[in-house]
Amino acid sequence: MHHARLTPFPQGFLWGAASAAYQVEGAHDADGKGPSVWDVFTHLPGKTFQGSNGDVAVDHYHRMEEDVALMKEMGLTAYRFSVSWPRIFPTGRGEANEAGMAFYERLIDALIAAGIEPVLTLYHWDLPQALQEEYGGWEDRRIIADFEHYCVALFQRFAGKVKYWVSLNEQNYNTTNAYQLGTHPPAVQDRKRFFTANHHAFLANATVIAAFRKHVPNGLIGPSFAYSPAYPASSAPADMLAFENAEEFTNWWWLDTYCFGRYPQAALAWLQKTGEAPDIQPGDVAILQAGLPDFVGVNYYYTTTFTDNPRDGATMQRINTTGQKGTTPSSGVPGLYRTTPNPHLPTSNWDWAIDPTGLRIALRRLASRYDLPLMVTENGLGEFDKLEAGDKVHDDYRIDYLRAHLQACQEAMSDGVQLLGYCPWSFTDILSWLNGYQKRYGFVYINRDETDAKDLRRIRKDSFFWYQTVIASNGQKL
Ligand code: BGP
């Protein structure tokens, strides 16, 4: 579809940026915070790029006021951040830690005073280590009640101040790394355990959404999903089937369960045959259906192209965490699908396909399948940046990426998609979970590297000034 005129961005469109607690806060043991699974995991040898960790991160915990002042200067009208569960409940449950609550209250108040709508993510992967040790975290049903207890504490405290809430961030990406690739804690490689942990996460997600209705009646809540739309490698029927398999197993498995309260049928049938299906107990489907979201958060970075994979074919592989272009192997599930490079698309240095049209396709597929409003809760380009004389960072490649993806948002809205806002990843540079500090995403450069926290100086990149103009014109000047 080539529109003659594009729908303008609506008044009240949320011009945001995003972050996550572990990646920005630092202050890993301040004010009564307990350890999360990431605090422990990043200190095990060989788990992250050059052993990088979030002990200090970009020290947002101590520089929050300065960071919010920069957001205000840039003109943000929304800021997506996550709350660290072990800051609120150091051992996962029990009495809330007031100092942890108070930090987020100060942040939320500062945002509101700056005219910035807070978008609060309840869970961005930093599970209290105590719950991992006590019962294996997401592998045990006890997680559902503990997660609800934590979320309700936040609902009660912030219901009057926060309208937009994200339940789980990228359950799909996190659990794939945690239980298939073994690259996130608890570093398991077992598909049966993967589907079990996911089933509990679905139940926890629906349970807190049902609780949200009671505590935050005027709010909106939904999960953020790492949506990489599947493409077929060719129009050969075997590739088309691989693409259907991939879309069902890597996307609808999560999104149908969130939005319809049931698993997609072909994938469930396959897993019941292989013995990997989750144990769906009586009452589970009712729980899923009582907690459907108000919107879907879309984290979009790239599309993935799939081809046929024989029964003795490629298995799951490690991802590129070095920025050495061209080092990502083909990865897949035998008998279902495997990835293959898309010859039509350029890639970043981390081999992520750059595909703005893929974002338009993503938004349209989700809007027509689920008939829900959408919010882009992440989108961005991780690249090496160069700090030049006079504190300049000329990140024109990032501007090009974001501009093209905002155009895709506008095209999707012209196609009828209801889009609440756009929160690119990330506001400042941050710690990338596995890629250290050298894979930068921010509008604001942070002067630090993997091993040296330096002075953590904040430096406005060229993209900062570009986005400032975009926001000031409500998207008319891209
Ligand atoms: C998403 C996560 C973010 C962020 C982003 C960039 O998967 O929700 O937390 O890290 O991806 O990924 P990476 O840091 O691997 O480049």
Side-chain angles (χ1 to χ4, degrees):
M1 259 182 254
H2 302 278
H3 294 287
R5 261 187 74 241
L6 292 179
T7 306
F9 287 92
Q11 288 308 316
F13 185 79
L14 296 174
W15 295 100
S19 73
Y22 186 69
Q23 298 179 273
V24 294
E25 286 177 0
H28 69 104
D29 60 357
D31 299 334
K33 177 180 170 294
S36 78
V37 292
W38 279 93
D39 288 312
V40 175
F41 182 74
T42 56
H43 283 270
L44 302 174
K47 297 296 186 191
T48 62
F49 181 72
Q50 292 187 1
S52 50
N53 65 59
D55 288 3
V56 174
V58 302
D59 201 29
H60 172 69
Y61 191 81
H62 296 116
R63 294 165 196 243
M64 182 272 284
E65 281 84 6
E66 180 187 354
D67 290 343
V68 174
L70 281 165
M71 292 175 204
K72 185 177 180 189
E73 180 186 328
M74 193 162 72
L76 286 190
T77 61
Y79 174 58
R80 173 177 179 240
F81 63 95
S82 79
V83 173
S84 161
W85 182 349
R87 255 191 221 294
I88 309 297
F89 292 103
T91 57
R93 69 163 85 84
E95 287 291 300
N97 170 32
E98 175 52 32
M101 279 285 191
F103 168 71
Y104 294 107
E105 183 131 63
R106 286 204 315 279
L107 168 62
I108 290 165
D109 288 344
L111 292 170
I112 292 170
I116 301 169
E117 187 80 50
V119 179
L120 189 159
T121 302
L122 292 160
Y123 184 75
H124 203 126
W125 311 349
D126 44 359
L127 180 76
Q129 174 71 14
L131 301 185
Q132 187 64 45
E133 285 173 15
E134 186 181 332
Y135 53 69
W138 293 103
E139 290 187 70
D140 190 286
R141 281 187 178 243
R142 278 174 277 180
I143 194 76
I144 301 166
D146 286 337
F147 186 58
E148 184 184 15
H149 178 69
Y150 155 67
C151 292
V152 167
L154 295 178
F155 295 159
Q156 288 175 331
R157 181 77 171 234
F158 300 127
K161 296 182 175 180
V162 179
K163 179 173 175 197
Y164 296 96
W165 299 71
V166 172
S167 47
L168 300 178
N169 177 72
E170 295 194 356
Q171 180 190 330
N172 61 326
Y173 188 73
N174 180 222
T175 57
T176 300
N177 276 275
Y179 296 98
Q180 290 206 55
L181 295 162
T183 44
H184 287 185
V188 169
Q189 290 176 283
D190 182 322
R191 277 170 58 85
K192 177 78 188 168
R193 291 170 66 182
F194 166 77
F195 286 106
T196 298
N198 272 290
H199 188 61
H200 298 151
F202 288 129
L203 294 169
N205 181 72
T207 300
V208 302
I209 291 179
F212 183 81
R213 305 277 172 244
K214 285 185 224 130
H215 295 282
V216 198
N218 299 322
L220 297 172
I221 190 166
S224 278
F225 184 72
Y227 188 30
S228 176
Y231 284 1
S234 78
S235 53
D239 283 346
M240 287 303 296
L241 194 59
F243 144 77
E244 294 282 354
N245 291 339
E247 194 74 332
E248 181 146 336
F249 274 92
T250 67
N251 293 319
W252 306 149
W253 185 262
W254 284 269
L255 289 162
D256 282 6
T257 311
Y258 293 139
C259 300
F260 296 147
R262 56 144 180 83
Y263 289 115
Q265 167 262 317
L268 187 59
W270 170 279
L271 296 174
Q272 280 164 345
K273 287 210 181 71
T274 62
E276 295 162 331
D279 171 24
I280 304 173
Q281 294 186 5
D284 284 0
V285 171
I287 293 172
L288 296 176
Q289 295 193 342
L292 306 180
D294 299 304
F295 69 91
V296 178
V298 183
N299 292 2
Y300 174 80
Y301 291 92
Y302 49 79
T303 49
T304 309
T305 301
F306 293 93
T307 187
D308 186 33
N309 195 11
R311 292 195 63 87
D312 58 355
T315 54
M316 298 297 283
Q317 298 285 341
R318 215 188 149 87
I319 56 168
N320 174 349
T321 56
T322 60
Q324 279 175 288
K325 205 168 180 165
T327 58
T328 308
S330 174
S331 159
V333 178
L336 292 175
Y337 54 79
R338 73 174 174 86
T339 61
T340 184
N342 186 331
H344 304 285
L345 296 174
T347 56
S348 75
N349 278 313
W350 278 259
D351 299 323
W352 292 14
I354 298 175
D355 183 8
T357 303
L359 175 55
R360 181 180 180 183
I361 291 169
L363 297 173
R364 281 175 45 165
R365 278 190 195 165
L366 301 186
S368 11
R369 192 172 177 101
Y370 303 113
D371 194 21
L372 286 172
L374 306 174
M375 188 192 298
V376 175
T377 41
E378 288 182 29
N379 171 236
L381 180 66
E383 266 306 334
F384 300 110
D385 287 342
K386 194 158 168 262
L387 181 59
E388 300 197 37
D391 271 1
K392 300 280 183 219
V393 179
H394 299 302
D395 58 342
D396 45 300
Y397 38 89
R398 182 167 295 108
I399 295 172
D400 291 345
Y401 180 99
L402 294 171
R403 180 191 292 119
H405 286 76
L406 269 172
Q407 275 161 354
C409 289
Q410 209 176 350
E411 281 162 349
M413 290 191 301
S414 306
D415 299 335
V417 169
Q418 193 193 338
L419 190 63
L420 300 169
Y422 179 72
C423 297
W425 188 262
S426 50
F427 179 64
T428 60
D429 289 340
I430 41 93
L431 168 69
S432 169
W433 304 95
L434 301 180
N435 307 278
Y437 291 92
Q438 64 164 7
K439 190 181 187 189
R440 295 176 184 271
Y441 282 91
F443 294 107
V444 176
Y445 184 94
I446 305 285
N447 190 40
R448 72 153 298 161
D449 63 24
E450 277 64 29
T451 50
D452 186 354
K454 300 190 190 170
D455 61 6
L456 294 160
R457 192 161 85 251
R458 274 70 175 140
I459 297 155
R460 299 162 185 80
K461 302 183 192 176
D462 286 357
S463 57
F464 179 100
F465 299 105
W466 167 80
Y467 198 40
Q468 190 177 46
T469 308
V470 171
I471 299 172
S473 69
N474 202 39
Q476 286 188 19
K477 281 191 207 143
L478 287 185

